[in-house]
């Protein structure tokens, strides 16, 4: 159990939130307690980001267990409140099970936010990624014109997250400043900004008053959007959307999607490719389509319809309603700075 959980803790979660704790009852039985982050993270719309992360954790458990000859059983149940869920984990030795080749990629998988090569994916790589995503489908944007349209969408979407006070509170909480690695946040060196912009950004983000002043009078959103969204959006092999055959509504739909997302991401790592999630246009579309407010600032709220319509135009009319994950992929060096994870002993409830 310890060996399997040691690998499983490397599953991705939004902003490195790691919204799970493990309660181990015996060598072959444990309970995973999950508390989603919707109450304090505006990006965790209806707990969907956490549900995707739980799916990634479950898929990682299966892969990790296979590497030492065990089979995993998972039964899930709702907690006393919608933000809490429990997942009962069982292990059984199985001499017939084969080690999943993706196990070696679990700890190497990470986010690369910096520009990637324009070099195209090979046909075999695309096929491998599509097979990994099944039964979900992958929609590709890989021509120069398509990458430009997606980069523009990301540039527009980024302004919304940078001018919303609700998003500011999230960004301020999750960045570990002057750090190459972080166990429980995102190190600033992994963001993809140059050192000068990072230092200015650190100073500005000490208060919302400073952020608002820079945004209003000094075009404060342009440099971060240029470095974090527009340039990386252009510099990659392709953008993609992971699409469900039906419109996902229930938590279990997003848990299932999270399993496919993790298998896709690990396959990209296995193939020597780098990947970065690009979820904000999709999340803003979810807010718009549900009639839920993203921000109490009316000027911010008015940007959502345009983002949703542009996403549908660029990626396809079905993506806002059937999309579950989006990102970019390509050739490049592995990130020199990354989020790590809390040590296992801090994730186990005693």
């Amino acid at each position: 159990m310890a060996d399997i959980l040691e690998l499983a803790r490397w599953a991705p979660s939004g902003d490195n939130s790691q919204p799970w704790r493990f309660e181990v009852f015996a060598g072959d039985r444990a309970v995973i307690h999950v508390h989603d982050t919707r109450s304090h993270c505006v990006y965790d719309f209806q707990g969907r980001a956490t549900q995707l992360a739980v799916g990634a954790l479950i898929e990682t458990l299966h892969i990790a267990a296979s590497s030492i000859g065990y089979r995993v059983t998972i039964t899930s149940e709702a907690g006393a409140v919608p933000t809490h869920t429990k997942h009962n984990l069982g292990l059984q030795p199985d001499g017939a099970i084969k080690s999943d080749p993706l196990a070696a990629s679990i700890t190497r998988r990470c986010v690369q936010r910096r520009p990637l090569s324009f070099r195209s994916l090979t046909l075999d790589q695309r096929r491998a990624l599509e097979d990994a995503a099944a039964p979900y489908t992958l929609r590709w944007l890989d021509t120069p014109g398509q990458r430009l349209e997606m980069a523009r969408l990301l540039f527009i979407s980024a302004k919304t997250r940078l001018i919303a006070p609700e998003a500011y509170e999230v960004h301020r909480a999750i960045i570990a400043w002057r750090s190459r690695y972080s166990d429980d946040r995102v190190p600033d060196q992994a963001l993809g900004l140059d050192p000068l912009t990072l230092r200015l950004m650190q100073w500005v983000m000490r208060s919302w008053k400073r952020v608002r002043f820079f945004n209003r009078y000094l075009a404060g959103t342009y440099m971060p959007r240029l470095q974090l969204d527009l340039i990386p959006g252009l510099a990659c092999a392709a953008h993609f959307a992971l699409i469900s055959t039906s419109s996902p509504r229930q938590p279990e739909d997003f848990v299932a999607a999270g399993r496919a997302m993790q298998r896709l991401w690990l396959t990209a790592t296995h193939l020597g490719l780098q990947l970065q999630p690009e979820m904000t246009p999709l999340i803003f579309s979810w807010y718009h389509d549900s009639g839920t407010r993203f921000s109490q600032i009316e000027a911010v709220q008015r940007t959502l319809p345009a983002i949703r319509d542009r996403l549908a135009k660029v990626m396809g009319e079905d993506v806002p309603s059937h999309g579950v994950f989006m990102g970019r992929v390509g050739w490049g060096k592995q990130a020199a700075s990354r989020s790590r994870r809390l040590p296992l002993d801090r994730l186990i409830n005693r």
Side-chain angles (χ1 to χ4, degrees), residues 221-292:
T221 71
Y222 277 92
M223 190 58 69
R225 287 195 289 155
L226 181 68
Q227 295 187 36
L228 298 181
D229 299 278
L230 188 65
I231 294 175
L234 292 169
C236 62
H239 300 271
F240 65 86
L242 187 66
I243 303 172
S244 174
T245 55
S246 59
S247 180
R249 300 288 184 188
Q250 302 303 317
E252 53 267 28
D253 298 332
F254 288 93
V255 171
R259 295 191 63 175
M261 174 197 74
Q262 175 69 336
R263 194 152 196 93
L264 168 68
W265 203 337
L266 290 174
T267 299
T269 303
H270 181 71
L271 295 171
L273 300 170
Q274 305 300 320
L275 189 148
Q276 178 189 6
E278 297 173 327
M279 288 293 288
T280 49
L282 188 56
I283 293 169
F284 294 155
S285 297
W286 290 340
Y287 272 99
H288 175 268
D289 288 353
S290 70
T292 305

Side-chain angles (χ1 to χ4, degrees), residues 170-197:
V170 176
H171 302 158
R172 185 175 65 167
I174 62 98
I175 298 175
W177 295 107
R178 299 183 183 271
S179 300
R180 182 177 179 185
Y181 303 108
S182 176
D183 287 348
D184 59 354
R185 287 177 290 170
V186 179
D188 65 343
Q189 294 177 35
L191 296 178
L193 292 169
D194 67 68
L196 181 61
T197 304

